[in-house]
Amino acid sequence: MDIIGLIPSFGNLALTIVAFVAALSIIVAVHEYGHYIVGRWSGIHAEVFSLGFGPVIWSRVDKRGTRWQLAALPFGGYVKFLGDSNAASGKDGEAIAALSADEQRHTMHGAPLWARAATVAAGPMFNFALSILVFAGFYWVNGIATDLPVVGQVKDMPFAEQELLPGDRITAVDGTATPDLESFLRVSNALPPAPSTSYSVDRGAQALTVTGPYPFPPLVDSVQPMTAAAAAGMQAGDYILALNGQPVQSFGQMREIVGASGGETVTLTVKRNGETFDLPLTPKRMDLPKAEGGFETRWLIGLSGGLFFVPETRSAGPVEGIWLGVQQVGYVASTSLSGLWHMITGAISSCNLQGPLGIAETSGAAASQGVVSFVWFIAMLSTAVGLMNLFPVPVLDGGHLVFHAWEAVTGKPPSDRALRLLMTGGLALLLTLMVFALSNDLFCP
């Protein structure tokens, strides 16, 4: 990544900073509130709830004696419980010794093991809960596709003969029966590209044969952040007429040409709002997760396509939406873990690991695409933050949970000296990883 690319103009830099701070603040606030509220329910008193570090710019003390504050450096936050020596929940032995037995029960270090473990685990769990609710919200608002190939909305495309109408149920494509959406997709994927396609449809009580576009036209549905297409200003709704002068009639043809480019610049002929123009784009090498597991390396320009129509949807129920949200979080977490393992083993490039600059640029790019894209990005990042905090590294929540597991097995916590050594080692490891990720931001292509 070229750091100069972060600041093409003051407006873009401002958007990147604001979006990054907003996304991080929301995720940190939810994470720390999980620690705070479960600690409170477990009888552990929080002295300070801070959003940000450094000089305090605003604070107030609530009726429970907790100070809520905003600090000048908005790149994290913490909850300091009674008996903690610092924001990382280090033990203040002198302060705890001065408390009565009843008061010590309300410290993080004097509470029962179950209360401490629940309070520590609550931070990542609240991150996952935020992601689940956001993903579920998308399903509740947008609905989910039915099992039938019914046209919900036909997309606007140039040059396409179009006779399908919303509500048409497609029963066959070029003479091949499509009784359900799965078979329709399978048949459509097997079709050779063509200027038009024949569809058999049920329209009310009528059975008709009509003409429509190729099922997967070279129409842009979305533009991925931090890609060549995003940098060039491509937009959803752009129609690709040709690549390198070669006419294309399907999104698959475009994918094949870009994939075979070997990273060489390709020229797209684009039609937008009645205007036609050429746009040179240089594909970027990327490692993508495969449905069956693992990763594949491909050359991409950052465009996504789909069917020429939006399938009819049905409303997702409350429980169904939550379950789909859980599945999405599980997919993000499993893909992240798989990616990390493949980087460690050298199967994919370590440049896939982003640092703060990369995350900031992604947040700005997501925000520039609208509120929907930005909210989705927050949910993805919240899952990643929750997962990272569960890694068994001292100073992270996962490390504290390992200490609690040790105590559950042996009947006593690790010694104060061992804790200090482990926390120092964990901090060094975390800082090393951050420096490595930052170097990726600066030097990876």
Side-chain angles (χ1 to χ4, degrees):
M1 170 184 153
D2 180 5
I3 191 170
I4 301 301
L6 273 174
I7 50 175
S9 69
F10 175 76
N12 286 352
L13 175 61
L15 177 62
T16 295
I17 294 173
V18 170
F20 179 56
V21 170
L24 189 62
S25 296
I26 291 170
I27 292 168
V28 168
V30 168
H31 180 95
E32 297 303 332
Y33 187 78
H35 289 315
Y36 162 77
I37 194 63
V38 173
R40 197 182 88 186
W41 292 340
S42 303
I44 302 173
H45 174 64
E47 293 186 315
V48 179
F49 186 110
S50 180
L51 191 58
F53 296 97
V56 176
I57 57 178
W58 173 88
S59 71
R60 76 173 185 88
V61 179
D62 66 17
K63 63 182 180 181
R64 293 184 176 84
T66 300
R67 178 177 296 279
W68 298 76
Q69 65 184 39
L70 292 175
L73 301 176
F75 301 111
Y78 62 91
V79 176
K80 181 178 179 295
F81 292 103
L82 180 65
D84 289 352
S85 61
N86 51 45
S89 293
K91 184 178 180 180
D92 188 341
E94 292 184 7
I96 292 176
L99 300 175
S100 66
D102 182 62
E103 290 172 327
Q104 289 183 16
R105 165 60 182 85
H106 299 292
T107 68
M108 179 60 120
H109 305 277
L113 179 59
W114 66 265
R116 286 177 277 143
T119 300
V120 169
M125 293 304 108
F126 268 55
N127 281 133
F128 294 145
L130 170 64
S131 300
I132 290 168
L133 288 175
V134 170
F135 292 141
F138 276 89
Y139 291 115
W140 290 329
V141 172
N142 298 325
I144 56 177
T146 64
D147 294 331
L148 300 175
V150 178
V151 178
Q153 176 186 353
V154 180
K155 299 174 184 177
D156 185 26
M157 289 183 298
F159 315 126
E161 187 177 358
Q162 162 58 338
E163 297 176 350
L164 284 95
L165 298 176
D168 285 350
R169 176 177 174 179
I170 301 173
T171 57
V173 177
D174 269 358
T176 303
T178 55
D180 52 34
L181 185 59
E182 182 180 356
S183 62
F184 170 80
L185 295 174
R186 184 174 61 252
V187 171
S188 297
N189 274 309
L191 282 179
S196 62
T197 303
S198 174
Y199 297 91
S200 299
V201 303
D202 286 343
R203 182 177 295 169
Q206 294 181 296
L208 306 171
T209 298
V210 298
T211 300
Y214 182 78
F216 296 99
L219 178 71
V220 177
D221 273 355
S222 63
V223 181
Q224 306 305 316
M226 291 182 63
T227 60
M234 291 204 68
Q235 301 174 8
D238 286 349
Y239 193 90
I240 313 302
L241 301 176
L243 263 78
N244 293 336
Q246 177 182 338
V248 293
Q249 296 170 334
S250 74
F251 204 89
Q253 285 179 301
M254 188 170 65
R255 186 184 300 115
E256 290 174 4
I257 295 172
V258 172
S261 68
E264 296 293 327
T265 298
V266 295
T267 300
L268 279 65
T269 303
V270 181
K271 192 171 186 65
R272 178 192 300 166
N273 299 328
E275 296 184 8
T276 301
F277 54 92
D278 288 337
L279 203 60
L281 299 177
T282 302
K284 181 179 180 180
R285 186 173 178 173
M286 300 184 70
D287 299 305
L288 302 177
K290 297 189 292 187
E292 64 273 18
F295 285 76
E296 62 176 339
T297 300
R298 290 168 50 191
W299 292 100
L300 302 173
I301 56 177
L303 299 177
S304 297
L307 291 169
F308 73 93
F309 67 91
V310 179
E312 184 179 64
T313 60
R314 61 175 178 81
S315 298
V319 175
E320 184 180 24
I322 292 292
W323 175 239
L324 291 171
V326 169
Q327 290 179 309
Q328 183 65 34
V329 167
Y331 172 77
V332 174
S334 62
T335 301
S336 299
L337 290 173
S338 176
L340 182 61
W341 174 250
H342 281 75
M343 279 187 279
I344 292 173
T345 59
I348 62 175
S349 171
S350 60
C351 285
N352 286 279
L353 181 65
Q354 281 190 329
L357 293 180
I359 296 172
E361 188 177 8
T362 304
S363 64
S368 68
Q369 294 185 3
V371 174
V372 172
S373 177
F374 185 57
V375 171
W376 184 269
F377 167 76
I378 289 176
M380 297 283 285
L381 186 58
S382 184
T383 301
V385 169
L387 181 65
M388 183 190 72
N389 270 279
L390 286 178
F391 287 175
V393 178
V395 310
L396 295 179
D397 294 328
H400 287 284
L401 289 174
V402 170
F403 298 153
H404 295 327
W406 172 271
E407 183 177 350
V409 172
T410 65
K412 59 182 180 180
S415 67
D416 291 345
R417 183 174 181 275
L419 284 175
R420 284 194 297 271
L421 290 173
L422 289 169
M423 296 288 275
T424 300
L427 182 60
L429 177 62
L430 201 59
L431 290 175
T432 301
L433 183 62
M434 289 179 64
V435 170
F436 177 74
L438 182 60
S439 69
N440 279 354
D441 291 341
L442 297 174
F443 303 117
C444 280

